[in-house]
Amino acid sequence: MIVVLIGGVNWWVGRDTIVITFPKEGSEVPRCLPTFGGTGKLASGHHLWIAVQFSDPSGESRFLFSRRAVMNNGKWHANKIDVGGEKQALSTYTIIAVDVDQATDDMLKSTLVDMSFSGAETEKKGQDLWRISYQEYPSGAHPVADVTVTRAQDQQDSCNELTDKARRKQ
């Protein structure tokens, strides 16, 4: 019983220490958010992931784990976060900092869906890489901070599209 209580207290303490400093609540953001960051620390063995909450076609909320944050000396950031898909200008999204335990971190790092063997129109083998979204947080994942943003009308390229354009210019 005491072990369970201590684990719960450790999770609660870590939960209150993560703060999002950029972007600010209510900001308009491009489709490719260049950086997302803040301050705080997590319990030993935990990692911070950035998830984007969106509505699926039936109106249900889903969570897409986008990127693992880099944490260093009480500050953290994650670069190149896609906020929604094509034609989603002026849509509202919640971007969430999620505390995950080691097992969940391992699962998220290895999660990949390769569509190359499906009947759907695809890219070359290995290039159709999709992420899995969730209706609820996986066990071992706890939201610790969030910010609601609106997609701006301009800058509609995804992070991959912007990267590809920059590489072609070189």
Side-chain angles (χ1 to χ4, degrees), residues 15 38 51 69 74 93 99 101 103 106 115 124 131 140 145 147 151 154:
R15 181 173 180 258
Y93 293 89
D99 176 345
D101 62 19
D106 290 342
M115 297 293 290
K124 291 186 279 185
R131 294 192 187 243
V147 62
R151 266 276 294 282
D154 56 354

Side-chain angles (χ1 to χ4, degrees), residues 1 39-40 55 100 118 156:
M1 179 71 168
T39 60
S55 295
V100 303
S118 77
Q156 295 302 310

Side-chain angles (χ1 to χ4, degrees), residues 63-74:
F63 303 95
L64 177 75
F65 283 80
S66 179
R67 192 165 305 284
R68 185 185 195 204
V70 175
M71 300 189 81
N72 190 14
N73 292 324

Side-chain angles (χ1 to χ4, degrees), residues 47-169:
H47 301 278
L48 191 67
W49 276 79
I50 309 308
V52 178
Q53 182 179 359
F54 64 96
S55 295
D56 68 15
S58 67
E60 297 293 322
S61 285
R62 298 199 60 87
F63 303 95
L64 177 75
F65 283 80
S66 179
R67 192 165 305 284
R68 185 185 195 204
V70 175
M71 300 189 81
N72 190 14
N73 292 324
K75 293 184 180 182
W76 59 267
H77 72 278
N79 295 333
K80 298 194 305 186
I81 304 293
D82 278 316
V83 182
E86 291 182 289
K87 301 177 184 173
Q88 298 299 313
L90 303 179
S91 295
T92 301
Y93 293 89
T94 301
I95 307 173
I96 307 148
V98 183
D99 176 345
V100 303
D101 62 19
Q102 188 62 54
T104 306
D105 180 67
D106 290 342
M107 181 269 303
L108 290 170
K109 287 189 305 188
S110 66
T111 301
L112 179 68
V113 177
D114 187 339
M115 297 293 290
S116 60
F117 298 108
S118 77
E121 183 177 327
T122 63
E123 300 291 330
K124 291 186 279 185
K125 182 177 177 180
Q127 292 186 350
D128 275 335
L129 305 178
W130 299 77
R131 294 192 187 243
I132 294 175
S133 64
Y134 301 87
Q135 284 184 324
E136 297 179 10
Y137 292 102
S139 64
H142 303 282
V144 290
D146 63 67
V147 62
T148 301
V149 298
T150 301
R151 266 276 294 282
Q153 290 187 39
D154 56 354
Q155 300 174 336
Q156 295 302 310
D157 290 334
S158 71
C159 295
N160 286 340
E161 290 167 335
L162 289 173
T163 300
D164 287 344
K165 285 179 182 180
R167 286 182 181 154
R168 281 184 285 214
K169 287 181 182 180

